[in-house]
Amino acid sequence: MKVLMQLALVALVTIAVPAQAQETVVDPLATVNPEDWLWLSCGSGNEGHCDGGILDVQAQAKDKHELRCCSDTKIPGWRKGGGCSNWHQSRLVGLDGTTTCFDSVTYAEGQAICAANHDSTVCTKEQVDNKCAQGSGCGYDRDYIWTSQQAPALELPAPPARNPDDWLWLACGAGKELGWNQGWCDAKFEIKSQANEKHDVRCCSRKERVDWLRNDNCDVWHESDKLIGLDGEKRCIHAVTYADARAICEANDAYV
């Protein structure tokens, strides 16, 4: 039976609830391990204009996100919010001397950029959450920006390898409401397939991903048409086995 494109490979996994860890403020000037976890906070602060009102999400220092810098001393042209003791800025001078918005930098890159801008630092989570880094431009009031606050590690799903003859569920990419009730995917929400058969792939991530989609009331980001394939090209991925889909998602720091 030929399965239409709208069906995407899925794997049933158990997502563990992350253990609570003591959170500490990282010295903004300290070197951070790329695997360390930090909080990202919504640039609008506790007004919560990001992703349905979620204020904070976790990220690893090696991930790339938006940057605002903060300073305890007055800097001409930088913004200072009412009731705040710091100044902040989004349009920053890069290491190449160009003034721009930085929407995709690692934490270490953010530290270096802030240091190059009047010896400022990555904003603390308290500064961002209290709206003391709000409104300095680049549209970041609706984005998650780096903070120097340590975060508990997320328990990331790790779908297991499967034998080629193993059976897995395929689910309609539109979800149950559209896929089943409105007749998408041949009016079938789920069908079975062996791991050696070829189908479309959509990857998911529990970490916030720039330019990936997160639906309301969901705790994952997902992507289909911006995936980097095993050949290094970014595109939609059609007709791959489960093993290849798993490898593609892992290469995109995500999971099936």
Side-chain angles (χ1 to χ4, degrees), residues 2-215:
K2 181 178 176 63
V3 181
L4 295 181
M5 288 172 52
Q6 292 94 330
L7 289 163
L9 284 162
V10 297
L12 298 178
V13 297
T14 299
I15 300 177
V17 176
Q20 293 298 315
Q22 184 176 3
E23 299 174 21
T24 59
V25 177
V26 177
D27 180 351
L29 301 178
T31 300
V32 174
N33 188 298
E35 301 297 325
D36 286 349
W37 289 84
L38 298 159
W39 283 111
L40 304 174
S41 286
C42 185
S44 62
N46 55 26
E47 290 183 4
H49 293 320
C50 301
D51 279 335
I54 295 177
L55 183 60
D56 308 303
V57 297
Q58 295 123 296
Q60 288 180 284
K62 65 183 179 181
D63 298 334
K64 294 189 175 185
H65 297 284
E66 287 82 351
L67 175 69
R68 276 179 175 161
C69 298
C70 288
S71 174
D72 291 334
T73 58
K74 184 177 181 179
I75 299 173
W78 287 38
R79 183 181 177 88
K80 181 176 182 289
C84 300
S85 61
N86 66 278
W87 287 257
H88 58 94
Q89 182 58 270
S90 301
R91 288 188 57 80
L92 301 160
V93 179
L95 301 182
D96 61 357
T98 302
T99 300
T100 188
C101 300
F102 290 91
D103 58 8
S104 183
V105 297
T106 66
Y107 183 77
E109 290 170 342
Q111 286 180 304
I113 292 167
C114 290
N117 283 262
H118 308 281
D119 289 324
S120 61
T121 60
V122 176
C123 300
T124 68
K125 183 174 182 291
E126 182 180 14
Q127 288 170 331
V128 181
D129 288 352
N130 290 335
K131 299 190 290 186
C132 290
Q134 183 193 65
S136 55
C138 296
Y140 294 166
D141 283 0
R142 295 184 178 274
D143 292 317
Y144 293 105
I145 62 176
W146 282 115
T147 81
S148 57
Q149 180 90 16
Q150 186 180 26
L154 279 176
E155 192 75 26
L156 300 178
R162 301 289 186 181
N163 293 323
D165 293 333
D166 285 350
W167 288 87
L168 299 165
W169 285 107
L170 302 177
C172 184
K176 189 170 185 178
E177 182 176 350
L178 291 176
W180 187 14
N181 295 344
Q182 297 192 23
W184 293 26
C185 299
D186 284 347
K188 297 176 181 178
F189 174 56
E190 297 174 330
I191 63 172
K192 297 177 184 178
S193 176
Q194 287 183 289
N196 59 6
E197 297 177 10
K198 293 185 177 182
H199 301 285
D200 299 338
V201 61
R202 178 170 289 165
C203 299
C204 292
S205 174
R206 290 199 66 206
K207 296 192 290 184
E208 195 267 349
R209 301 293 297 272
V210 177
D211 295 333
W212 284 35
L213 182 65
R214 178 184 174 278
N215 295 339

Side-chain angles (χ1 to χ4, degrees), residues 219-238:
D219 63 356
V220 297
W221 285 258
H222 56 91
E223 187 53 70
S224 301
D225 59 2
K226 298 176 184 177
L227 295 174
I228 299 173
L230 298 179
D231 57 2
E233 294 185 8
K234 185 178 290 188
R235 65 183 190 280
C236 298
I237 308 294
H238 303 288

